[in-house]
Coordinates of all heavy atoms in Angstrom, one line a residue:
M11 N 3.0 -22.8 -29.2 CA 3.5 -23.6 -28.1 C 5.1 -23.5 -28.1 O 5.7 -23.5 -29.2 CB 3.1 -25.0 -28.2 CG 1.6 -25.2 -27.9 SD 1.1 -26.7 -27.1 CE 2.2 -27.1 -25.9
R12 N 5.6 -23.6 -26.9 CA 7.1 -23.5 -26.8 C 7.6 -25.0 -26.8 O 7.0 -25.9 -26.2 CB 7.5 -22.9 -25.5 CG 7.4 -21.4 -25.5 CD 7.8 -20.9 -24.2 NE 6.6 -21.0 -23.4 CZ 6.3 -20.2 -22.4 NH1 7.1 -19.2 -22.0 NH2 5.2 -20.4 -21.7
P13 N 8.7 -25.2 -27.4 CA 9.3 -26.5 -27.4 C 9.7 -26.9 -25.9 O 10.1 -26.0 -25.2 CB 10.5 -26.4 -28.3 CG 10.4 -25.2 -29.0 CD 9.5 -24.3 -28.3
A14 N 9.6 -28.1 -25.6 CA 10.0 -28.6 -24.2 C 11.5 -28.4 -24.0 O 12.3 -28.7 -25.0 CB 9.5 -30.0 -24.0
G15 N 11.9 -28.1 -22.8 CA 13.3 -28.0 -22.5 C 13.9 -26.7 -22.7 O 15.1 -26.5 -22.4
H16 N 13.2 -25.7 -23.3 CA 13.7 -24.4 -23.5 C 13.3 -23.5 -22.4 O 12.2 -23.6 -21.9 CB 13.2 -23.8 -24.8 CG 13.8 -24.5 -26.0 ND1 15.2 -24.4 -26.4 CD2 13.3 -25.3 -27.0 CE1 15.4 -25.1 -27.5 NE2 14.2 -25.7 -27.8
P17 N 14.2 -22.6 -22.0 CA 13.9 -21.6 -20.9 C 12.7 -20.7 -21.3 O 12.6 -20.4 -22.5 CB 15.2 -20.9 -20.6 CG 16.0 -21.0 -21.8 CD 15.6 -22.3 -22.5
H18 N 12.0 -20.3 -20.3 CA 10.9 -19.4 -20.6 C 11.4 -18.0 -20.8 O 12.2 -17.5 -20.1 CB 9.9 -19.3 -19.4 CG 9.3 -20.7 -19.1 ND1 8.3 -21.2 -20.0 CD2 9.4 -21.6 -18.2 CE1 7.9 -22.4 -19.5 NE2 8.6 -22.6 -18.4
D19 N 10.9 -17.4 -21.9 CA 11.3 -16.0 -22.2 C 10.5 -15.0 -21.6 O 10.8 -13.8 -21.6 CB 11.3 -15.8 -23.7 CG 12.4 -16.7 -24.4 OD1 13.4 -17.0 -23.8 OD2 12.1 -17.0 -25.6
D20 N 9.3 -15.4 -21.0 CA 8.3 -14.4 -20.5 C 7.8 -14.9 -19.2 O 6.7 -15.4 -19.0 CB 7.2 -14.3 -21.5 CG 6.2 -13.2 -21.1 OD1 6.6 -12.3 -20.4 OD2 5.1 -13.2 -21.7
P21 N 8.6 -14.6 -18.1 CA 8.2 -15.1 -16.8 C 6.9 -14.3 -16.3 O 6.1 -14.9 -15.6 CB 9.3 -14.8 -15.8 CG 10.2 -13.9 -16.6 CD 9.9 -14.1 -18.1
A22 N 6.8 -13.0 -16.7 CA 5.6 -12.3 -16.3 C 4.3 -12.9 -16.9 O 3.3 -13.0 -16.4 CB 5.7 -10.8 -16.6
G23 N 4.5 -13.3 -18.2 CA 3.4 -14.0 -18.9 C 3.0 -15.3 -18.2 O 1.8 -15.6 -18.2
D24 N 4.0 -16.0 -17.7 CA 3.7 -17.2 -17.0 C 2.9 -17.0 -15.7 O 1.9 -17.7 -15.4 CB 4.9 -18.0 -16.6 CG 5.7 -18.5 -17.8 OD1 5.0 -18.7 -18.9 OD2 6.9 -18.8 -17.7
V25 N 3.2 -15.9 -15.0 CA 2.5 -15.5 -13.8 C 1.0 -15.1 -14.2 O 0.1 -15.5 -13.5 CB 3.2 -14.3 -13.1 CG1 2.4 -13.7 -12.0 CG2 4.6 -14.8 -12.5
V26 N 0.9 -14.4 -15.2 CA -0.4 -13.9 -15.6 C -1.3 -15.1 -16.0 O -2.5 -15.2 -15.7 CB -0.4 -12.9 -16.8 CG1 -1.7 -12.6 -17.3 CG2 0.3 -11.6 -16.2
R27 N -0.7 -16.1 -16.7 CA -1.4 -17.3 -17.1 C -1.9 -18.1 -15.9 O -3.0 -18.6 -15.9 CB -0.6 -18.2 -18.1 CG -0.6 -17.7 -19.5 CD 0.1 -18.6 -20.4 NE 1.6 -18.6 -20.3 CZ 2.3 -17.7 -20.9 NH1 1.8 -16.7 -21.6 NH2 3.7 -17.7 -20.8
W28 N -1.0 -18.3 -14.9 CA -1.4 -19.0 -13.7 C -2.5 -18.2 -13.0 O -3.4 -18.8 -12.4 CB -0.2 -19.2 -12.8 CG 0.6 -20.4 -13.2 CD1 1.8 -20.4 -13.8 CD2 0.2 -21.8 -13.0 NE1 2.2 -21.7 -14.0 CE2 1.2 -22.6 -13.5 CE3 -0.9 -22.4 -12.5 CZ2 1.2 -23.9 -13.6 CZ3 -1.0 -23.8 -12.5 CH2 0.1 -24.5 -13.0
A29 N -2.4 -16.9 -13.0 CA -3.5 -16.1 -12.3 C -4.8 -16.3 -13.0 O -5.9 -16.4 -12.4 CB -3.0 -14.6 -12.2
A30 N -4.8 -16.3 -14.4 CA -6.0 -16.5 -15.1 C -6.6 -17.9 -14.8 O -7.8 -18.1 -14.7 CB -5.7 -16.3 -16.6
F31 N -5.7 -18.9 -14.8 CA -6.2 -20.2 -14.4 C -6.8 -20.2 -13.1 O -7.9 -20.8 -12.9 CB -5.0 -21.2 -14.4 CG -5.3 -22.5 -13.9 CD1 -6.1 -23.4 -14.7 CD2 -4.9 -23.0 -12.7 CE1 -6.4 -24.7 -14.2 CE2 -5.1 -24.2 -12.2 CZ -5.9 -25.1 -13.0
S32 N -6.3 -19.5 -12.1 CA -6.9 -19.4 -10.8 C -8.2 -18.7 -10.8 O -9.1 -19.0 -10.1 CB -5.9 -18.7 -9.8 OG -4.7 -19.4 -9.7
C33 N -8.3 -17.7 -11.6 CA -9.6 -17.0 -11.8 C -10.7 -17.9 -12.3 O -11.8 -17.7 -12.0 CB -9.4 -15.8 -12.8 SG -8.5 -14.4 -12.0
L34 N -10.3 -18.9 -13.0 CA -11.3 -19.9 -13.5 C -11.5 -21.0 -12.4 O -12.7 -21.5 -12.3 CB -10.9 -20.5 -14.8 CG -10.7 -19.5 -16.0 CD1 -10.1 -20.3 -17.2 CD2 -12.1 -19.0 -16.3
L35 N -10.5 -21.3 -11.7 CA -10.6 -22.4 -10.8 C -11.3 -22.1 -9.5 O -12.2 -22.8 -9.0 CB -9.2 -23.0 -10.5 CG -9.1 -24.2 -9.6 CD1 -9.8 -25.4 -10.2 CD2 -7.7 -24.5 -9.2
V36 N -11.0 -20.9 -9.0 CA -11.5 -20.5 -7.7 C -13.1 -20.5 -7.6 O -13.7 -21.0 -6.7 CB -10.9 -19.2 -7.2 CG1 -11.7 -18.5 -6.1 CG2 -9.5 -19.4 -6.9
P37 N -13.8 -19.9 -8.6 CA -15.2 -19.9 -8.6 C -15.8 -21.3 -8.6 O -16.8 -21.6 -7.9 CB -15.7 -19.1 -9.8 CG -14.5 -18.5 -10.4 CD -13.3 -19.1 -9.8
V38 N -15.2 -22.2 -9.4 CA -15.7 -23.6 -9.4 C -15.6 -24.2 -8.0 O -16.5 -24.9 -7.5 CB -14.9 -24.4 -10.5 CG1 -15.3 -25.9 -10.4 CG2 -15.1 -23.8 -11.9
V39 N -14.5 -24.0 -7.4 CA -14.3 -24.6 -6.0 C -15.2 -24.0 -5.1 O -15.8 -24.6 -4.2 CB -12.8 -24.4 -5.6 CG1 -12.6 -24.7 -4.1 CG2 -11.9 -25.2 -6.5
L40 N -15.4 -22.6 -5.2 CA -16.4 -22.0 -4.3 C -17.8 -22.5 -4.4 O -18.5 -22.8 -3.5 CB -16.4 -20.5 -4.5 CG -15.1 -19.7 -4.0 CD1 -15.2 -18.3 -4.5 CD2 -15.0 -19.8 -2.5
V41 N -18.2 -22.7 -5.6 CA -19.6 -23.3 -5.9 C -19.7 -24.7 -5.4 O -20.7 -25.1 -4.8 CB -19.9 -23.2 -7.4 CG1 -21.2 -23.9 -7.7 CG2 -20.1 -21.7 -7.8
V42 N -18.7 -25.5 -5.6 CA -18.7 -26.9 -5.2 C -18.8 -27.0 -3.7 O -19.5 -27.8 -3.1 CB -17.4 -27.7 -5.7 CG1 -17.2 -29.0 -5.0 CG2 -17.4 -27.8 -7.2
Y43 N -18.2 -26.1 -3.0 CA -18.2 -26.1 -1.5 C -19.3 -25.2 -0.9 O -19.3 -24.9 0.3 CB -16.8 -25.6 -0.9 CG -15.8 -26.7 -1.0 CD1 -14.9 -26.8 -2.0 CD2 -15.8 -27.7 0.0 CE1 -14.0 -27.8 -2.1 CE2 -14.8 -28.7 0.0 CZ -13.9 -28.8 -1.1 OH -13.0 -29.8 -1.1
G44 N -20.3 -24.9 -1.7 CA -21.5 -24.3 -1.2 C -21.7 -22.8 -1.3 O -22.7 -22.3 -0.8
T45 N -20.8 -22.1 -1.9 CA -21.0 -20.7 -2.0 C -22.0 -20.4 -3.1 O -22.1 -21.2 -4.1 CB -19.6 -20.0 -2.4 OG1 -18.7 -20.3 -1.4 CG2 -19.8 -18.5 -2.5
S46 N -22.8 -19.4 -3.0 CA -23.8 -19.0 -4.0 C -23.1 -18.6 -5.3 O -21.9 -18.2 -5.3 CB -24.6 -17.9 -3.6 OG -23.9 -16.7 -3.5
Y47 N -23.8 -18.7 -6.4 CA -23.3 -18.3 -7.7 C -22.9 -16.9 -7.7 O -21.9 -16.4 -8.3 CB -24.3 -18.6 -8.8 CG -24.4 -20.1 -9.1 CD1 -25.6 -20.8 -8.8 CD2 -23.4 -20.8 -9.7 CE1 -25.7 -22.1 -9.0 CE2 -23.5 -22.1 -10.0 CZ -24.6 -22.8 -9.6 OH -24.7 -24.2 -9.8
G48 N -23.7 -16.0 -7.0 CA -23.4 -14.6 -6.9 C -22.1 -14.3 -6.2 O -21.4 -13.5 -6.6
G49 N -22.0 -15.0 -5.1 CA -20.7 -14.9 -4.3 C -19.5 -15.3 -5.1 O -18.5 -14.7 -5.1
A50 N -19.7 -16.4 -5.9 CA -18.5 -16.9 -6.7 C -18.3 -15.9 -7.8 O -17.1 -15.6 -8.2 CB -18.9 -18.2 -7.3
A51 N -19.4 -15.3 -8.4 CA -19.2 -14.3 -9.5 C -18.4 -13.0 -8.9 O -17.5 -12.5 -9.6 CB -20.5 -13.9 -10.1
V52 N -18.8 -12.6 -7.7 CA -18.1 -11.4 -7.1 C -16.6 -11.8 -6.9 O -15.8 -11.0 -7.2 CB -18.8 -11.0 -5.8 CG1 -18.0 -10.0 -5.1 CG2 -20.2 -10.4 -6.1
A53 N -16.4 -13.0 -6.4 CA -15.0 -13.4 -6.1 C -14.2 -13.4 -7.5 O -13.1 -13.0 -7.5 CB -14.9 -14.7 -5.5
T54 N -14.9 -13.9 -8.5 CA -14.2 -14.0 -9.8 C -13.9 -12.6 -10.3 O -12.8 -12.3 -10.9 CB -15.1 -14.7 -10.8 OG1 -15.4 -16.0 -10.3 CG2 -14.5 -14.8 -12.2
L55 N -14.8 -11.7 -10.2 CA -14.6 -10.3 -10.6 C -13.4 -9.6 -9.8 O -12.6 -8.9 -10.4 CB -15.8 -9.4 -10.5 CG -16.9 -9.8 -11.5 CD1 -18.2 -9.0 -11.2 CD2 -16.5 -9.6 -12.9
G56 N -13.4 -9.9 -8.6 CA -12.3 -9.4 -7.7 C -11.0 -9.9 -8.2 O -10.0 -9.2 -8.3
L57 N -10.9 -11.2 -8.4 CA -9.7 -11.9 -8.8 C -9.2 -11.4 -10.2 O -8.1 -11.1 -10.5 CB -9.8 -13.4 -8.9 CG -9.9 -14.1 -7.5 CD1 -10.2 -15.6 -7.7 CD2 -8.5 -14.0 -6.9
L58 N -10.2 -11.2 -11.1 CA -9.9 -10.6 -12.4 C -9.3 -9.2 -12.3 O -8.4 -8.9 -13.0 CB -11.1 -10.6 -13.3 CG -11.5 -12.0 -13.8 CD1 -12.9 -11.9 -14.6 CD2 -10.5 -12.6 -14.8
A59 N -9.9 -8.4 -11.4 CA -9.4 -7.0 -11.3 C -7.9 -7.1 -10.7 O -7.1 -6.3 -11.2 CB -10.3 -6.2 -10.3
V60 N -7.7 -7.9 -9.7 CA -6.3 -8.0 -9.2 C -5.4 -8.5 -10.2 O -4.2 -8.0 -10.4 CB -6.3 -8.9 -7.9 CG1 -4.9 -9.2 -7.5 CG2 -7.1 -8.2 -6.8
T61 N -5.8 -9.5 -11.0 CA -4.9 -10.1 -12.0 C -4.6 -9.0 -13.1 O -3.4 -8.9 -13.5 CB -5.6 -11.3 -12.7 OG1 -5.8 -12.2 -11.6 CG2 -4.8 -11.9 -13.8
A62 N -5.6 -8.3 -13.5 CA -5.4 -7.2 -14.5 C -4.4 -6.2 -14.0 O -3.5 -5.7 -14.7 CB -6.7 -6.6 -14.9
A63 N -4.6 -5.7 -12.8 CA -3.7 -4.7 -12.2 C -2.3 -5.3 -12.1 O -1.3 -4.5 -12.4 CB -4.2 -4.3 -10.8
C64 N -2.1 -6.5 -11.7 CA -0.8 -7.1 -11.6 C -0.1 -7.2 -12.9 O 1.1 -7.0 -13.1 CB -0.8 -8.5 -10.9 SG -1.2 -8.4 -9.1
R65 N -0.9 -7.6 -13.9 CA -0.4 -7.7 -15.3 C 0.1 -6.4 -15.8 O 1.2 -6.2 -16.4 CB -1.4 -8.2 -16.3 CG -1.0 -8.4 -17.7 CD -2.0 -8.9 -18.6 NE -1.5 -9.2 -19.9 CZ -1.5 -8.3 -20.9 NH1 -1.9 -7.0 -20.7 NH2 -1.0 -8.6 -22.0
V66 N -0.6 -5.3 -15.5 CA -0.2 -3.9 -16.0 C 1.1 -3.6 -15.2 O 2.0 -3.0 -15.9 CB -1.3 -2.9 -15.7 CG1 -0.8 -1.5 -15.8 CG2 -2.5 -3.1 -16.6
L67 N 1.2 -3.8 -13.9 CA 2.4 -3.5 -13.2 C 3.6 -4.3 -13.6 O 4.7 -3.7 -13.8 CB 2.1 -3.7 -11.7 CG 1.1 -2.7 -11.0 CD1 0.8 -3.1 -9.6 CD2 1.7 -1.3 -11.1
L68 N 3.4 -5.6 -13.9 CA 4.5 -6.4 -14.4 C 5.0 -5.9 -15.8 O 6.2 -5.8 -16.0 CB 4.1 -7.9 -14.5 CG 4.0 -8.6 -13.2 CD1 3.3 -10.0 -13.4 CD2 5.4 -8.9 -12.7
R69 N 4.1 -5.6 -16.7 CA 4.5 -5.1 -18.0 C 5.2 -3.8 -17.9 O 6.2 -3.6 -18.6 CB 3.3 -5.0 -18.9 CG 2.6 -6.3 -19.2 CD 3.6 -7.3 -19.9 NE 2.9 -8.5 -20.2 CZ 3.5 -9.6 -20.5 NH1 4.8 -9.7 -20.6 NH2 2.8 -10.8 -20.7
H70 N 4.7 -2.9 -17.1 CA 5.3 -1.6 -16.8 C 6.8 -1.8 -16.3 O 7.7 -1.1 -16.7 CB 4.5 -0.7 -15.9 CG 5.1 0.6 -15.6 ND1 5.2 1.6 -16.6 CD2 5.7 1.1 -14.5 CE1 5.8 2.6 -16.0 NE2 6.1 2.3 -14.8
S71 N 6.9 -2.7 -15.4 CA 8.2 -3.0 -14.8 C 9.2 -3.5 -15.8 O 10.3 -3.1 -15.8 CB 8.1 -3.9 -13.6 OG 9.3 -4.3 -13.1
E72 N 8.7 -4.5 -16.6 CA 9.6 -5.0 -17.7 C 10.0 -4.0 -18.6 O 11.1 -3.9 -19.1 CB 8.8 -6.1 -18.4 CG 8.7 -7.4 -17.6 CD 7.9 -8.5 -18.4 OE1 7.2 -8.1 -19.3 OE2 8.2 -9.6 -18.1
K73 N 9.0 -3.1 -19.0 CA 9.4 -2.0 -20.0 C 10.4 -1.1 -19.4 O 11.3 -0.7 -20.1 CB 8.1 -1.3 -20.4 CG 8.2 -0.4 -21.5 CD 6.9 0.0 -22.2 CE 6.3 1.2 -21.5 NZ 5.1 1.7 -22.1
A74 N 10.2 -0.7 -18.1 CA 11.2 0.2 -17.5 C 12.6 -0.4 -17.4 O 13.6 0.2 -17.6 CB 10.7 0.6 -16.1
Q75 N 12.6 -1.8 -17.1 CA 13.9 -2.5 -17.0 C 14.6 -2.5 -18.4 O 15.8 -2.4 -18.4 CB 13.6 -3.8 -16.4 CG 14.9 -4.6 -16.2 CD 14.6 -6.0 -15.6 OE1 13.4 -6.5 -15.6 NE2 15.6 -6.6 -15.0
R76 N 13.8 -2.8 -19.4 CA 14.4 -2.8 -20.8 C 14.9 -1.4 -21.1 O 16.0 -1.3 -21.7 CB 13.4 -3.3 -21.8 CG 13.2 -4.8 -21.8 CD 12.4 -5.2 -23.0 NE 11.1 -4.6 -23.2 CZ 10.0 -5.0 -22.7 NH1 10.0 -6.2 -22.1 NH2 8.9 -4.3 -22.9
A77 N 14.2 -0.4 -20.8 CA 14.6 1.0 -21.1 C 15.9 1.3 -20.4 O 16.8 1.9 -20.9 CB 13.5 2.0 -20.8
E78 N 16.0 0.9 -19.1 CA 17.2 1.2 -18.3 C 18.4 0.4 -18.9 O 19.5 1.0 -18.9 CB 16.9 0.8 -16.8 CG 18.1 1.1 -15.9 CD 17.8 0.7 -14.5 OE1 16.6 0.6 -14.1 OE2 18.8 0.5 -13.8
A79 N 18.2 -0.8 -19.3 CA 19.3 -1.6 -19.8 C 19.7 -0.9 -21.1 O 20.9 -0.9 -21.4 CB 18.8 -3.0 -20.0
R80 N 18.8 -0.4 -21.9 CA 19.2 0.2 -23.2 C 20.0 1.5 -22.9 O 21.0 1.7 -23.6 CB 17.9 0.6 -24.0 CG 18.1 0.8 -25.4 CD 16.8 1.0 -26.2 NE 15.7 0.2 -25.8 CZ 14.5 0.7 -25.3 NH1 14.4 2.0 -25.2 NH2 13.6 -0.1 -24.9
V81 N 19.6 2.3 -21.9 CA 20.3 3.5 -21.6 C 21.7 3.1 -21.1 O 22.7 3.8 -21.5 CB 19.6 4.3 -20.5 CG1 20.5 5.4 -19.9 CG2 18.3 4.9 -21.1
R82 N 21.8 2.1 -20.3 CA 23.2 1.7 -19.8 C 24.1 1.2 -21.0 O 25.2 1.4 -21.0 CB 23.0 0.5 -18.8 CG 22.8 1.0 -17.4 CD 23.1 -0.1 -16.4 NE 22.1 0.0 -15.4 CZ 21.5 -1.0 -14.8 NH1 21.8 -2.2 -15.2 NH2 20.7 -0.8 -13.8
A83 N 23.5 0.5 -21.9 CA 24.2 0.0 -23.0 C 24.7 1.1 -24.0 O 25.8 1.1 -24.6 CB 23.4 -1.0 -23.9
E84 N 24.0 2.2 -24.0 CA 24.3 3.4 -24.9 C 25.4 4.3 -24.2 O 26.0 5.1 -24.9 CB 23.1 4.1 -25.2 CG 22.2 3.4 -26.2 CD 20.9 4.1 -26.4 OE1 20.6 5.2 -25.8 OE2 20.1 3.6 -27.2
E85 N 25.5 4.3 -22.9 CA 26.4 5.2 -22.2 C 27.8 4.7 -22.4 O 28.1 3.5 -22.3 CB 26.1 5.2 -20.7 CG 24.9 5.9 -20.3 CD 24.6 5.9 -18.8 OE1 25.4 5.2 -18.0 OE2 23.7 6.5 -18.3
P86 N 28.7 5.6 -22.7 CA 30.1 5.2 -22.8 C 30.7 4.9 -21.5 O 30.4 5.4 -20.4 CB 30.8 6.5 -23.4 CG 29.9 7.6 -23.0 CD 28.5 7.1 -22.9
L87 N 31.6 3.9 -21.5 CA 32.3 3.5 -20.3 C 33.3 4.5 -19.9 O 34.0 5.2 -20.8 CB 33.0 2.2 -20.5 CG 32.1 1.0 -20.8 CD1 33.0 -0.3 -21.1 CD2 31.2 0.7 -19.6
P88 N 33.5 4.8 -18.6 CA 34.5 5.8 -18.2 C 35.9 5.2 -18.5 O 36.1 4.0 -18.5 CB 34.3 5.9 -16.7 CG 33.6 4.6 -16.3 CD 32.8 4.2 -17.5
P89 N 36.9 6.2 -18.7 CA 38.2 5.7 -19.1 C 38.8 4.9 -17.9 O 38.6 5.3 -16.7 CB 39.0 7.0 -19.4 CG 38.2 8.0 -18.7 CD 36.8 7.6 -18.7
A90 N 39.6 3.9 -18.2 CA 40.2 3.1 -17.1 C 41.5 3.8 -16.7 O 42.6 3.6 -17.2 CB 40.5 1.7 -17.6
H91 N 41.3 4.6 -15.7 CA 42.5 5.4 -15.1 C 43.1 4.7 -13.9 O 42.4 4.4 -12.9 CB 42.1 6.8 -14.7 CG 43.2 7.6 -14.2 ND1 44.2 8.1 -15.0 CD2 43.4 8.0 -12.9 CE1 45.0 8.8 -14.2 NE2 44.6 8.8 -13.0
R92 N 44.3 4.2 -14.0 CA 44.9 3.4 -12.9 C 45.9 4.2 -12.1 O 46.5 3.7 -11.2 CB 45.6 2.2 -13.6 CG 44.6 1.3 -14.2 CD 45.3 0.1 -14.7 NE 44.4 -0.8 -15.4 CZ 44.8 -1.9 -16.0 NH1 46.0 -2.1 -16.1 NH2 43.9 -2.6 -16.6
G93 N 46.1 5.4 -12.4 CA 47.1 6.2 -11.7 C 48.4 6.3 -12.5 O 48.5 5.8 -13.6
R94 N 49.3 7.1 -11.9 CA 50.5 7.5 -12.7 C 51.4 6.3 -13.0 O 51.9 6.1 -14.1 CB 51.2 8.6 -12.0 CG 52.4 9.1 -12.7 CD 52.9 10.3 -12.0 NE 54.2 10.7 -12.6 CZ 54.9 11.7 -12.2 NH1 54.5 12.4 -11.2 NH2 56.0 12.0 -12.8
H95 N 51.7 5.5 -11.9 CA 52.6 4.4 -12.1 C 52.0 3.0 -11.9 O 52.7 2.0 -11.7 CB 53.8 4.6 -11.1 CG 54.6 5.8 -11.4 ND1 55.4 6.0 -12.5 CD2 54.7 7.0 -10.7 CE1 55.9 7.1 -12.5 NE2 55.5 7.8 -11.4
S96 N 50.8 2.9 -11.8 CA 50.1 1.6 -11.5 C 50.2 0.7 -12.7 O 50.0 1.1 -13.8 CB 48.7 1.8 -11.1 OG 48.1 0.6 -10.9
R97 N 50.5 -0.6 -12.4 CA 50.5 -1.6 -13.4 C 49.2 -2.4 -13.5 O 49.0 -3.3 -14.3 CB 51.7 -2.5 -13.2 CG 53.0 -1.8 -13.5 CD 54.1 -2.8 -13.4 NE 54.3 -3.1 -12.0 CZ 55.3 -3.9 -11.6 NH1 56.1 -4.4 -12.5 NH2 55.5 -4.2 -10.4
G98 N 48.3 -2.0 -12.6 CA 46.9 -2.7 -12.6 C 46.9 -4.1 -11.9 O 46.0 -4.8 -12.1
S99 N 48.0 -4.5 -11.3 CA 48.0 -5.8 -10.7 C 48.3 -5.7 -9.2 O 48.8 -4.7 -8.7 CB 49.1 -6.7 -11.3 OG 50.4 -6.2 -11.0
T100 N 47.9 -6.7 -8.5 CA 48.1 -6.7 -7.0 C 49.4 -7.5 -6.8 O 49.9 -8.2 -7.6 CB 47.0 -7.4 -6.3 OG1 46.8 -8.7 -6.7 CG2 45.7 -6.6 -6.5
G101 N 49.9 -7.3 -5.6 CA 51.2 -8.1 -5.3 C 52.2 -7.1 -4.6 O 51.8 -6.0 -4.2
T102 N 53.4 -7.5 -4.6 CA 54.4 -6.7 -3.9 C 54.7 -5.5 -4.8 O 54.8 -5.6 -6.0 CB 55.6 -7.5 -3.6 OG1 56.2 -8.0 -4.8 CG2 55.3 -8.6 -2.6
R103 N 55.1 -4.4 -4.2 CA 55.5 -3.2 -4.9 C 57.0 -3.3 -5.2 O 57.7 -3.9 -4.5 CB 55.1 -2.0 -4.1 CG 53.7 -1.7 -4.1 CD 53.5 -0.4 -3.3 NE 52.1 -0.1 -3.3 CZ 51.6 1.0 -2.6 NH1 52.4 1.7 -1.9 NH2 50.3 1.2 -2.7
R104 N 57.4 -2.5 -6.2 CA 58.8 -2.5 -6.5 C 59.5 -1.7 -5.4 O 59.1 -0.7 -4.9 CB 59.0 -1.7 -7.8 CG 60.4 -1.7 -8.3 CD 60.5 -0.9 -9.6 NE 59.8 -1.7 -10.6 CZ 59.5 -1.1 -11.8 NH1 59.8 0.1 -12.1 NH2 58.9 -1.8 -12.7
G105 N 60.6 -2.3 -4.9 CA 61.4 -1.6 -3.9 C 60.9 -2.0 -2.4 O 61.5 -1.5 -1.5
C106 N 59.9 -2.7 -2.3 CA 59.3 -3.0 -0.9 C 59.7 -4.5 -0.6 O 59.4 -5.4 -1.4 CB 57.8 -2.8 -0.9 SG 57.1 -3.1 0.7
R107 N 60.4 -4.7 0.5 CA 60.8 -6.0 0.8 C 59.7 -6.9 1.3 O 59.7 -8.1 1.0 CB 62.0 -6.0 1.8 CG 63.1 -5.3 1.2 CD 64.3 -5.2 2.0 NE 65.3 -4.4 1.5 CZ 66.5 -4.7 1.2 NH1 66.9 -5.9 1.5 NH2 67.4 -3.9 0.7
G108 N 58.8 -6.4 2.2 CA 57.7 -7.1 2.6 C 57.9 -8.1 3.7 O 57.0 -8.7 4.2
S109 N 59.2 -8.4 4.1 CA 59.4 -9.4 5.2 C 60.2 -8.8 6.3 O 60.7 -9.6 7.2 CB 60.0 -10.6 4.6 OG 61.3 -10.3 4.1
G110 N 60.5 -7.5 6.3 CA 61.3 -6.9 7.3 C 60.5 -6.7 8.6 O 59.3 -7.0 8.8
P111 N 61.2 -6.2 9.7 CA 60.5 -6.0 11.0 C 59.4 -5.0 11.0 O 58.5 -5.1 11.7 CB 61.7 -5.6 11.9 CG 62.7 -5.1 11.0 CD 62.6 -5.8 9.7
G112 N 59.4 -4.0 10.0 CA 58.3 -3.0 10.0 C 57.2 -3.4 9.1 O 56.2 -2.6 8.9
S113 N 57.2 -4.5 8.4 CA 56.2 -4.9 7.4 C 55.1 -5.6 8.1 O 55.2 -6.2 9.1 CB 56.8 -5.8 6.3 OG 57.1 -7.0 6.9
P114 N 53.9 -5.6 7.4 CA 52.8 -6.3 8.1 C 53.0 -7.9 8.1 O 52.4 -8.5 9.0 CB 51.6 -6.0 7.1 CG 52.1 -4.9 6.2 CD 53.6 -4.9 6.3
Q115 N 53.8 -8.4 7.3 CA 54.0 -9.9 7.4 C 55.0 -10.2 8.5 O 55.0 -11.4 8.9 CB 54.6 -10.4 6.0 CG 53.6 -10.4 4.9 CD 53.6 -9.1 4.1 OE1 54.6 -8.3 4.3 NE2 52.6 -8.8 3.3
G116 N 55.9 -9.4 8.8 CA 57.0 -9.7 9.7 C 56.8 -9.2 11.1 O 57.0 -9.4 12.1

């Protein structure tokens, strides 16, 4: 069990657990409301098949995301090229007055 108050580390697992709970709850509700046991069993098998397929897809997606993050972490960063005379900051340029009649401010 997880301690209370900690974030969930496995959101896909939470989805699968809720889906499994639904697979158990839906047939009970169907039988209570008058559906035959056979109909409830078919609905349960269908829900189990969909749940299993979703679980496979979620796990595959998580695995691909982890692999992509690993590849990104291993790639070297491109060099920070700022140009010949750039200081890397925004603001007024050297030699530019900025308030004359031909400037965007004036």
Side-chain angles (χ1 to χ4, degrees):
M11 290 212 41
R12 282 180 279 213
H16 290 293
H18 297 290
D19 294 332
D20 188 18
D24 292 342
V25 170
V26 171
R27 279 189 285 281
W28 277 107
F31 173 72
S32 298
C33 288
L34 297 175
L35 183 65
V36 167
V38 172
V39 171
L40 288 173
V41 169
V42 167
Y43 280 96
T45 304
S46 67
Y47 289 109
V52 169
T54 301
L55 290 175
L57 287 171
L58 286 172
V60 169
T61 301
C64 289
R65 181 179 185 272
V66 168
L67 291 172
L68 282 167
R69 296 298 179 198
H70 178 71
S71 174
E72 286 180 335
K73 191 162 85 171
Q75 187 178 14
R76 282 193 303 267
E78 184 179 338
R80 198 174 326 119
V81 167
R82 273 196 217 140
E84 291 173 357
E85 288 179 355
L87 293 175
H91 180 71
R92 295 184 181 170
R94 186 172 173 180
H95 295 289
S96 177
R97 290 186 287 183
S99 64
T100 59
T102 61
R103 291 183 173 175
R104 186 180 294 166
C106 183
R107 297 183 190 234
S109 61
S113 70
Q115 291 88 14

